[in-house]
Amino acid sequence: MTASLLEAQGLTKWYGDRLGCRDVSFDIREGEVLAIVGESGSGKSTLLSLLSGQPAPTSGSVAYRMRDGSIRDLVSLSEAERRFLFRTDWGFVHQDAAKGLRMGVSAGGNVGERLMAVGARHYGDIRAAAEDWLERVEIDVSRIDEKPTAYSGGMRQRLQIARNLVTAPRLVFMDEPTGGLDVSVQARLLDLLRRLVADMGLAVIVVTHDLAVARLLSDRIMVMRQGRVIEAGLTDRVLDDPREAYTQLLVSSILQP
């Protein structure tokens, strides 16, 4: 069996006397999508921030398998090492695309900037790669020199995805990637994400309150409540036959008209 790409053990985070999450353990392999679901305040966003190295947990560890096969504890990484991972191995897709884009830079510049961060210097090659990725995320290449401020919400989100994936990361964090988008735009974006994840063999950790998003994107799911994981397993199994009363309530609330 393929070794884990990332493995969390006993992750706990307190903010003073307020619990963020407690004793969360799981692993994820390359090519696998894990959804973390729960209502607002359940701890899912806290967990995502801990996994991506911001901030450090109160206790517990996150082990990551580097490209050379070595295992590193993310908590022990220097800020420079963490930034390097975010330029190369990791991507982060924010709910608010403005947090993941440079809004005053052209679309092509947003994609090209990440390539330059990993050493690309040839302008023609950088622009060609940006054009290719705009096509892959279904943005008209003729708009490559426009700034994201001229884009719709769905286009901004697709541009953010292109910016993250152009360097072929191994692990992508997604925080409510379809939040705030119209239903038709959500469907198009989810279809795009499914294809890109499958084509690139990405490991993805997606936080969402939307069980439909979890079902469409993920292989496995973790349900959080009050900072704890209360149920976990294969997505279809958990959503079709939930064992915990809280999960049953979540599923039934989605199914009700």
Side-chain angles (χ1 to χ4, degrees):
M1 182 176 291
T2 306
S4 300
L5 180 63
L6 179 146
E7 183 172 1
Q9 289 288 341
L11 276 184
T12 298
K13 181 63 179 179
W14 288 91
Y15 299 94
D17 59 358
R18 181 176 66 85
L19 177 65
C21 64
R22 172 176 283 178
D23 198 27
V24 177
S25 300
F26 69 93
D27 68 346
I28 187 168
R29 292 171 169 78
E30 288 170 279
E32 188 173 40
V33 181
L34 172 69
I36 305 171
V37 303
E39 62 191 354
S40 178
S42 62
K44 58 187 188 298
S45 293
T46 295
L47 178 58
L48 192 67
S49 68
L50 293 176
L51 296 172
S52 58
Q54 304 168 346
T58 304
S59 61
S61 63
V62 184
Y64 183 73
R65 178 167 51 83
M66 309 294 279
R67 288 181 186 258
D68 64 4
S70 64
I71 305 297
R72 297 291 304 277
D73 180 1
L74 296 184
V75 176
S76 69
L77 294 182
S78 68
E79 186 59 31
E81 289 174 316
R82 190 174 293 110
R83 285 199 302 269
F84 180 75
L85 278 177
F86 266 114
R87 291 198 304 268
T88 56
D89 266 26
W90 294 354
F92 200 116
V93 177
H94 298 267
Q95 176 178 356
D96 180 1
K99 292 183 178 179
L101 296 172
R102 292 188 61 190
M103 301 300 285
V105 174
S106 70
N110 266 280
V111 178
E113 186 177 57
R114 182 158 167 121
L115 285 171
M116 293 177 66
V118 296
R121 291 293 179 266
H122 189 281
Y123 174 80
D125 291 344
I126 292 171
R127 188 171 177 90
E131 290 177 346
D132 175 60
W133 266 98
L134 290 185
E135 288 183 348
R136 291 180 71 172
V137 298
E138 302 172 359
I139 293 176
D140 189 333
V141 175
S142 68
R143 303 191 66 176
I144 189 172
D145 294 316
E146 295 181 27
K147 296 177 181 177
T149 50
Y151 283 10
S152 67
M155 288 177 65
R156 290 180 188 180
Q157 201 63 305
R158 283 181 273 133
L159 177 60
Q160 188 186 184
I161 291 166
R163 176 182 168 93
N164 274 275
L165 300 191
V166 67
T167 53
R170 300 160 74 209
L171 175 62
V172 179
F173 305 98
M174 296 184 181
D175 188 4
E176 301 281 7
T178 62
L181 300 177
D182 292 340
V183 173
S184 60
V185 178
Q186 285 186 22
R188 184 176 176 185
L189 183 64
L190 284 170
D191 182 60
L192 171 67
L193 285 171
R194 289 177 68 185
R195 285 190 280 110
L196 290 173
V197 167
D199 290 348
M200 299 180 71
L202 299 171
V204 178
I205 299 174
V206 56
V207 159
T208 181
H209 70 280
D210 190 334
L211 297 187
V213 171
R215 186 185 287 276
L216 283 169
L217 280 184
S218 67
D219 304 294
R220 290 190 294 130
I221 192 171
M222 295 197 312
V223 182
M224 294 192 70
R225 186 186 188 195
Q226 298 176 346
R228 296 172 174 82
V229 176
I230 63 166
E231 187 161 5
L234 296 175
T235 300
D236 287 343
R237 199 282 301 163
V238 171
L239 296 184
D240 290 341
D241 185 24
R243 296 171 183 169
E244 296 293 324
Y246 175 74
T247 312
Q248 293 169 8
L249 181 63
L250 282 181
V251 172
S252 64
S253 67
I254 295 298
L255 294 177
Q256 288 175 1

